Amino acid sequence: MPSIAERLQALEYDQRLLLERIHAAPPLTDILKQQTDHQSISDTQNAYNAIVKEISCLKAPVPCELISFLPTELFIDCVKLALPLPERGYTTCLLRFTLVSKRWRQILLSAPMLWAIISFNNYDGDSLATMATSLYLSRDTMVSLTVCPPLGEEWNEASKIITPHIHRIQHITVVNSPFSDHFINYSSLFEGYLYILETVKIFESLGHPPHIDSFDLGTPYALPMHMPDYTIQELPPLPSSGLNLPQNIRYMRHWTLQLDSFRHINTSLSCLRELHTEQFIDVFAPMLYSFPQLEVLSFTDRDSVFAYGGIPQPNDWHIRQRAYELKSLRAFHYSQPFSHRIPALIRQVATSLVSLSLRVPYRVVNFLIGVLGNMHRLQQLSLTMGMQKWDMDDTFVQRDNFSITVPTLWSLSLATHSEYTPSNANDTYILTSNEHTPSDANETYIFCRQTCGKLISALKALYPHVTTAHIERNGVIKWELVAPFLGNMQSLQKLQLTGKDLHVDEVSATLSALEELSIDEDDILTSINAPKLLHLTHNGSSFDRVQQFCHRLPLLRKLTSTVCVVSNHSVQELIHPENLESFIYVRTLHLRLQEQDDIDISSAIYLVSFPSLVKIVLSGFSYVSSQATFLCLCLLYQPELCPRLQELEFEGFPEWDCLFLMLEARNFHRNCLLSHISELTIPFVPHHLRSSLSCLLRGEFTTRPSNCDLSIYATRETLFDASMYVVRGF
């Protein structure tokens, strides 16, 4: 009996013979012989398809159904990845999966953790039924409850269904349904107030779930707890009892707490572990004593901070504050203007911090350098320097100590922040341009550069083991400072360089361990040596530099290029290098098309030789479909440019006739060295084209759809059908 290898060899030989016979068939010009010849060609194609199926079975003897060879746990993980968010029909989609097969149904129904995500909204007529089904199938598992306001009268019935399972609720999320237009006539201020009313109603109905530890108000708006000063007659008042949150809540997410929030929350929240707020730290700091178990504290910036004449400065900032007792704090993220309370707070939590994100004035750098040496557990550091005027108390500044290192830090980000200064000279901020400095501010500019150099020198000594870095280049953070800093990072694997700088050719940096590089300006490439680079991301403004840079990279496997399509600069000019050996090892090419003012839709994509290319990704703006069509034509006329190409991913859809012609020419080419394109990712595929397209991707002959079926006219309905979805991996 022949072995599998011998059978494959014989089948592939027969396949080549049949393919040659099909290509050698004469055109059907004789009307009397058309029917006979057509039948002969059809029989040959059927024989060819049979061989393709047999070869596929021999090469992949494992059954195609995941459930047949994956462990149950891995299969359930795969199902989780395919399910949408709770507010987008999680349970409905899961119920549909039970209809795939009997085996799917048995495993899904026996996995209570899949059914532990309960959702309610009054837009779905089956919401109560699906919620009851999920509660039953989740058995005794702890559940997560997602509620989409407005609640309506249906909530009374829903609360009766949930109440017997109140002891199993661990998470509650209140989020607006993506299909809701209930708040469309309200401003964001009133919408936030309505969310508060709905939240009060939820907790009044459910009481205090004994095991709840997380509450997520999943709305992007700032939510004031008080009734707005200007009212609409239809808005009901906030109950006098306020909002009673369970005492054991540990995580509050997406809740932008306002100044008067806590007087309406009748809960101590002493168990709170994670808190995010947009309130300015000077008015919020006294509240921190109420959260001794905080692990994550985030103060985010927003425009309203500057809306009323600047930041209120406390009169007692110079007085030594008592300890905040935040002994469990692991992450502190602060993007607001610097406050006098920051030094004392950071010094108290320095030894326990794992992640620090801070916006600091240049004049506070001395303090920052001194305190960073005490953060022995720090793993992630992000610094944004700005021109905020500041008088630092000398008692906060410690002596510089560069002799120690922090080996735990793996992620570092360094940038600058340019602030706008009101016309009032007494205001807190001044304006500094990243490119040009006014003549009357030269002193300040020189001071900023010197301070920046001092900080970079300190970071260079403190953190030699960084693996991921983001550096913003500008007039202050010059490349001449950054290059030696990066060259000292012998473990650096991922680097992102943003911003712009001049005269970068004078200094170079060798990054011996770098594997992934992302840049905004191609001018920096001539100053970087990265022999182990695997992935390059650039903006495509100077493809000649990219070509020269890639010629020195024998290990480069992925190239991501942002290409601008404008009337006076075609895509052809950007990705048609002269040196064909520059991209000989690239396996993945990602072209991101960027929209400009004067778009030339006729600009076409022309590829050069990519002998190792396996996958092409094309993404970008609304005209990407025309570029996808051009790419299909390029592959149709010159398939040998990408002999190993197997995958295509389009963010927009190409013209269907060009796609079909390209796949037919590619997958049935006489050259057996050309790989078949077997995977296609596009936004949708019309139902009447799916069968034919699947056959082509499997390498089987099929009847080509008619020109009418391939036209935009035949697919016009699917363009506006919300149920269409991404079809991947035929």
Side-chain angles (χ1 to χ4, degrees):
M1 183 176 179
S3 64
I4 293 180
E6 292 173 341
R7 292 174 60 190
L8 280 174
Q9 186 176 5
L11 288 171
E12 289 173 352
Y13 177 77
D14 294 340
Q15 181 186 16
R16 288 194 295 270
L17 290 180
L18 291 174
L19 186 60
E20 289 292 338
R21 188 182 303 173
I22 293 172
H23 280 292
L28 302 179
T29 56
D30 192 341
I31 299 179
L32 298 177
K33 294 184 177 181
Q34 280 187 7
Q35 185 173 0
T36 304
D37 291 344
H38 185 274
Q39 183 63 37
S40 176
I41 295 175
S42 179
D43 292 341
T44 306
Q45 290 178 345
N46 290 336
Y48 179 91
N49 290 346
I51 291 178
V52 170
K53 292 178 181 179
E54 189 172 354
I55 291 176
S56 178
C57 292
L58 289 175
K59 287 185 176 180
V62 180
C64 294
E65 193 175 21
L66 290 176
I67 200 172
S68 301
F69 61 91
L70 279 181
T72 303
E73 294 79 7
L74 292 180
F75 174 73
I76 291 175
D77 288 340
C78 293
V79 171
K80 289 180 180 178
L81 293 175
L83 293 170
L85 295 173
E87 64 270 19
R88 293 182 177 271
Y90 174 95
T91 307
T92 302
C93 184
L94 186 56
L95 287 170
R96 289 175 181 171
F97 283 171
T98 62
L99 303 177
V100 173
S101 67
K102 184 177 180 180
R103 296 186 66 185
W104 277 55
R105 182 166 59 254
Q106 289 175 344
I107 290 185
L108 295 180
L109 294 181
S110 62
M113 69 288 297
L114 284 176
W115 305 92
I117 298 179
I118 317 298
S119 60
F120 167 80
N121 67 78
N122 59 9
Y123 304 99
D124 184 1
D126 297 328
S127 181
L128 295 178
T130 55
M131 185 170 59
T133 302
S134 296
L135 287 169
Y136 173 77
L137 294 176
S138 61
R139 298 183 180 89
D140 296 328
T141 307
M142 300 300 291
V143 300
S144 174
L145 175 63
T146 298
V147 181
C148 300
L151 302 178
E153 296 298 328
E154 292 82 358
W155 175 249
N156 296 329
E157 295 297 325
S159 59
K160 293 178 182 178
I161 297 175
I162 299 173
T163 300
H165 306 274
I166 196 72
H167 62 284
R168 295 200 288 130
I169 297 180
Q170 188 173 12
H171 310 284
I172 293 182
T173 300
V174 181
V175 59
N176 191 20
S177 170
F179 311 108
S180 169
D181 58 354
H182 178 71
F183 298 147
I184 196 170
N185 294 322
Y186 296 105
S187 67
S188 61
L189 184 67
F190 285 113
E191 180 169 347
Y193 179 75
L194 291 174
Y195 265 93
I196 296 300
L197 291 177
E198 301 287 38
T199 303
V200 171
K201 186 175 180 179
I202 291 171
F203 282 101
E204 284 182 348
S205 303
L206 301 180
H208 288 184
H211 299 295
I212 184 174
D213 67 356
S214 175
F215 179 55
D216 190 339
L217 199 59
T219 172
Y221 300 110
L223 304 179
M225 293 292 296
H226 64 289
M227 184 66 176
D229 296 334
Y230 50 96
T231 61
I232 297 180
Q233 187 175 1
E234 293 78 6
L235 290 177
L238 185 71
S240 58
S241 59
L243 178 58
N244 294 303
L245 297 177
Q247 295 281 350
N248 50 329
I249 285 184
R250 295 188 297 171
Y251 302 99
M252 292 178 64
R253 298 183 178 92
H254 300 127
W255 192 323
T256 53
L257 297 172
Q258 303 300 306
L259 178 59
D260 62 345
S261 298
F262 286 96
R263 68 185 180 90
H264 291 284
I265 300 180
N266 300 325
T267 309
S268 65
L269 298 179
S270 59
C271 297
L272 199 63
R273 303 288 183 87
E274 184 173 331
L275 178 61
H276 303 262
T277 178
E278 291 183 356
Q279 183 57 55
F280 187 57
I281 190 172
D282 279 358
V283 295
F284 192 85
M287 307 285 185
L288 294 178
Y289 301 104
S290 304
F291 314 124
Q293 298 189 41
L294 268 185
E295 296 178 355
V296 178
L297 178 59
S298 175
F299 288 91
T300 54
D301 191 13
R302 75 173 197 273
D303 295 338
S304 60
V305 172
F306 305 97
Y308 302 102
I311 304 301
Q313 298 294 336
N315 296 324
D316 59 344
W317 63 269
H318 58 282
I319 300 176
R320 185 74 63 182
Q321 301 292 329
R322 68 183 179 95
Y324 290 104
E325 301 297 336
L326 299 175
K327 298 180 180 180
S328 300
L329 196 66
R330 300 293 180 267
F332 180 63
H333 302 147
Y334 186 84
S335 59
Q336 298 178 355
F338 201 76
S339 166
H340 286 93
R341 297 186 183 270
I342 295 296
L345 175 60
I346 290 183
R347 180 161 296 171
Q348 292 179 28
V349 301
T351 56
S352 64
L353 281 182
V354 174
S355 177
L356 174 63
S357 177
L358 198 61
R359 173 177 162 185
V360 294
Y362 287 98
R363 297 187 181 276
V364 190
V365 165
N366 286 335
F367 158 76
L368 183 63
I369 293 174
V371 77
L372 285 177
N374 297 326
M375 300 181 183
H376 305 293
R377 302 177 58 187
L378 200 62
Q379 298 180 15
Q380 296 175 286
L381 176 63
S382 177
L383 298 177
T384 303
M385 294 180 294
M387 280 303 305
Q388 183 178 353
K389 288 184 178 179
W390 203 258
D391 295 325
M392 174 56 66
D393 189 347
D394 293 336
T395 60
F396 284 118
V397 181
Q398 295 179 341
R399 296 180 60 185
D400 300 341
N401 184 2
F402 302 144
S403 60
I404 64 172
T405 61
V406 181
T408 57
L409 193 89
W410 62 271
S411 176
L412 176 64
S413 176
L414 185 62
T416 59
H417 181 82
S418 179
E419 288 126 342
Y420 174 76
T421 303
S423 57
N424 188 349
N426 295 324
D427 284 340
T428 308
Y429 308 101
I430 65 175
L431 177 64
T432 295
S433 170
N434 287 336
E435 298 180 1
H436 304 285
T437 304
S439 57
D440 58 350
N442 281 336
E443 248 183 70
T444 303
Y445 176 69
I446 294 174
F447 168 77
C448 292
R449 287 195 56 183
Q450 292 175 345
T451 304
C452 180
K454 186 176 183 180
L455 176 62
I456 290 179
S457 297
L459 297 178
K460 178 180 177 181
L462 284 170
Y463 309 121
H465 303 300
V466 172
T467 60
T468 301
H470 172 209
I471 308 294
E472 178 193 10
R473 298 182 299 140
N474 49 52
V476 176
I477 306 180
K478 305 288 289 184
W479 175 247
E480 61 190 38
L481 299 176
V482 174
F485 176 52
L486 295 177
N488 186 61
M489 299 180 183
Q490 299 301 315
S491 302
L492 188 63
Q493 298 178 3
K494 184 177 181 179
L495 173 63
Q496 181 181 5
L497 291 173
T498 56
K500 188 176 182 180
D501 188 14
L502 300 177
H503 310 297
V504 297
D505 296 335
E506 301 174 2
V507 184
S508 61
T510 298
L511 310 177
S512 57
L514 193 67
E515 297 180 355
E516 186 173 343
L517 174 63
S518 177
I519 57 172
D520 280 351
E521 295 291 336
D522 297 336
D523 60 337
I524 196 67
L525 291 177
T526 57
S527 302
I528 294 178
N529 181 25
K532 295 184 179 179
L533 195 66
L534 299 176
H535 181 192
L536 172 63
T537 300
H538 77 111
N539 67 355
S541 60
S542 178
F543 209 80
D544 291 338
R545 289 196 182 102
V546 176
Q547 170 192 339
Q548 297 172 5
F549 181 70
C550 293
H551 187 60
R552 310 192 308 254
L553 304 176
L555 300 179
L556 187 66
R557 295 295 181 267
K558 183 175 182 180
L559 176 63
T560 301
S561 176
T562 300
V563 182
C564 299
V565 182
V566 293
S567 58
N568 60 352
H569 202 60
S570 68
V571 179
Q572 177 183 2
E573 297 174 41
L574 290 174
I575 65 169
H576 198 297
E578 297 177 358
N579 192 338
L580 303 184
E581 297 181 358
S582 296
F583 310 105
I584 192 171
Y585 299 109
V586 174
R587 294 176 57 86
T588 302
L589 177 63
H590 183 184
L591 299 177
R592 301 181 302 190
L593 304 185
Q594 188 177 60
E595 185 175 4
Q596 294 293 335
D597 295 334
D598 299 323
I599 300 175
D600 181 11
I601 304 177
S602 63
S603 297
I605 291 179
Y606 293 90
L607 299 176
V608 295
S609 178
F610 285 89
S612 302
L613 195 64
V614 175
K615 182 176 182 178
I616 297 179
V617 180
L618 193 61
S619 62
F621 54 93
S622 57
Y623 294 103
V624 71
S625 58
S626 63
Q627 304 301 331
T629 300
F630 286 132
L631 181 59
C632 288
L633 293 175
C634 180
L635 295 173
L636 171 63
Y637 293 116
Q638 294 178 299
E640 67 281 354
L641 294 179
C642 307
R644 300 182 59 185
L645 186 63
Q646 301 175 27
E647 302 176 33
L648 291 174
E649 182 175 335
F650 297 147
E651 188 175 283
F653 58 92
E655 295 182 19
W656 299 109
D657 52 351
C658 295
L659 177 63
F660 270 76
L661 288 172
M662 182 272 294
L663 290 176
E664 288 177 356
R666 175 81 185 202
N667 291 353
F668 306 121
H669 201 281
R670 292 185 179 185
N671 187 352
C672 60
L673 298 180
L674 293 179
S675 298
H676 291 182
I677 295 179
S678 57
E679 184 171 334
L680 175 67
T681 302
I682 46 181
F684 67 82
V685 177
H687 290 283
H688 65 282
L689 300 180
R690 290 188 178 184
S691 177
S692 301
L693 191 55
S694 298
C695 289
L696 286 178
L697 292 172
R698 288 195 299 266
E700 300 176 11
F701 280 99
T702 182
T703 303
R704 184 189 302 168
S706 65
N707 291 337
C708 180
D709 290 337
L710 293 173
S711 66
I712 294 295
Y713 176 80
T715 60
R716 65 189 186 282
E717 294 182 0
T718 60
L719 292 174
F720 307 100
D721 188 351
S723 66
M724 302 308 294
Y725 51 89
V726 172
V727 177
R728 187 186 186 94
F730 289 84

Short mmCIF file of all heavy atoms in Angstrom, two decimals, residues 40 126 133 244 518 524 532 609 628 659 668 705:
data_model
loop_
_atom_site.label_atom_id
_atom_site.label_comp_id
_atom_site.label_asym_id
_atom_site.label_seq_id
_atom_site.Cartn_x
_atom_site.Cartn_y
_atom_site.Cartn_z
N SER A 40 -16.83 18.18 -22.13
CA SER A 40 -15.51 17.60 -21.90
C SER A 40 -14.71 18.44 -20.90
O SER A 40 -14.09 17.91 -19.98
CB SER A 40 -14.76 17.48 -23.22
OG SER A 40 -13.45 17.01 -23.00
N ASP A 126 -37.09 40.12 23.41
CA ASP A 126 -36.76 38.85 24.05
C ASP A 126 -35.80 39.04 25.21
O ASP A 126 -35.22 38.06 25.71
CB ASP A 126 -36.13 37.90 23.03
CG ASP A 126 -37.09 37.55 21.91
OD1 ASP A 126 -38.30 37.50 22.17
OD2 ASP A 126 -36.62 37.34 20.77
N THR A 133 -32.98 32.80 30.73
CA THR A 133 -32.24 31.65 30.21
C THR A 133 -30.79 31.67 30.68
O THR A 133 -30.24 30.65 31.12
CB THR A 133 -32.29 31.63 28.68
OG1 THR A 133 -33.65 31.59 28.24
CG2 THR A 133 -31.55 30.43 28.12
N ASN A 244 -27.14 54.90 47.10
CA ASN A 244 -26.59 53.97 48.08
C ASN A 244 -25.85 52.85 47.36
O ASN A 244 -26.46 51.93 46.82
CB ASN A 244 -27.71 53.38 48.95
CG ASN A 244 -28.37 54.43 49.82
OD1 ASN A 244 -27.70 55.10 50.60
ND2 ASN A 244 -29.67 54.60 49.67
N SER A 518 8.58 52.12 15.10
CA SER A 518 7.51 52.94 14.54
C SER A 518 7.98 54.39 14.52
O SER A 518 8.41 54.93 15.55
CB SER A 518 6.23 52.80 15.39
OG SER A 518 5.21 53.65 14.90
N ILE A 524 14.71 60.12 10.26
CA ILE A 524 15.43 59.52 11.37
C ILE A 524 16.08 58.20 10.99
O ILE A 524 16.99 57.71 11.67
CB ILE A 524 14.47 59.33 12.57
CG1 ILE A 524 15.25 59.10 13.87
CG2 ILE A 524 13.53 58.19 12.33
CD1 ILE A 524 16.03 60.28 14.33
N LYS A 532 18.53 43.67 13.94
CA LYS A 532 17.59 42.59 14.25
C LYS A 532 16.14 43.01 14.07
O LYS A 532 15.23 42.33 14.56
CB LYS A 532 17.81 42.10 15.68
CG LYS A 532 19.16 41.46 15.91
CD LYS A 532 19.27 40.91 17.33
CE LYS A 532 20.63 40.24 17.55
NZ LYS A 532 20.76 39.71 18.93
N SER A 609 8.93 43.26 -6.70
CA SER A 609 9.14 41.88 -6.29
C SER A 609 9.16 41.75 -4.77
O SER A 609 9.96 42.40 -4.09
CB SER A 609 10.46 41.36 -6.87
OG SER A 609 10.69 40.05 -6.44
N ALA A 628 -8.11 48.74 -3.47
CA ALA A 628 -8.17 47.28 -3.43
C ALA A 628 -8.38 46.72 -4.83
O ALA A 628 -7.81 45.68 -5.19
CB ALA A 628 -9.29 46.84 -2.49
N LEU A 659 -11.90 40.92 -8.52
CA LEU A 659 -11.49 39.96 -7.50
C LEU A 659 -11.60 38.53 -8.02
O LEU A 659 -10.67 37.72 -7.84
CB LEU A 659 -12.36 40.14 -6.24
CG LEU A 659 -12.10 39.15 -5.10
CD1 LEU A 659 -10.68 39.28 -4.57
CD2 LEU A 659 -13.12 39.35 -3.98
N PHE A 668 -5.36 29.01 -10.48
CA PHE A 668 -5.29 27.99 -11.53
C PHE A 668 -4.18 28.32 -12.54
O PHE A 668 -4.28 28.02 -13.71
CB PHE A 668 -6.64 27.87 -12.26
CG PHE A 668 -7.79 27.63 -11.33
CD1 PHE A 668 -8.85 28.51 -11.27
CD2 PHE A 668 -7.80 26.52 -10.50
CE1 PHE A 668 -9.91 28.30 -10.41
CE2 PHE A 668 -8.85 26.30 -9.64
CZ PHE A 668 -9.91 27.19 -9.58
N PRO A 705 -19.91 33.64 -11.55
CA PRO A 705 -21.18 34.37 -11.55
C PRO A 705 -21.28 35.29 -12.76
O PRO A 705 -20.27 35.72 -13.32
CB PRO A 705 -21.13 35.16 -10.23
CG PRO A 705 -20.17 34.41 -9.37
CD PRO A 705 -19.16 33.83 -10.30
#
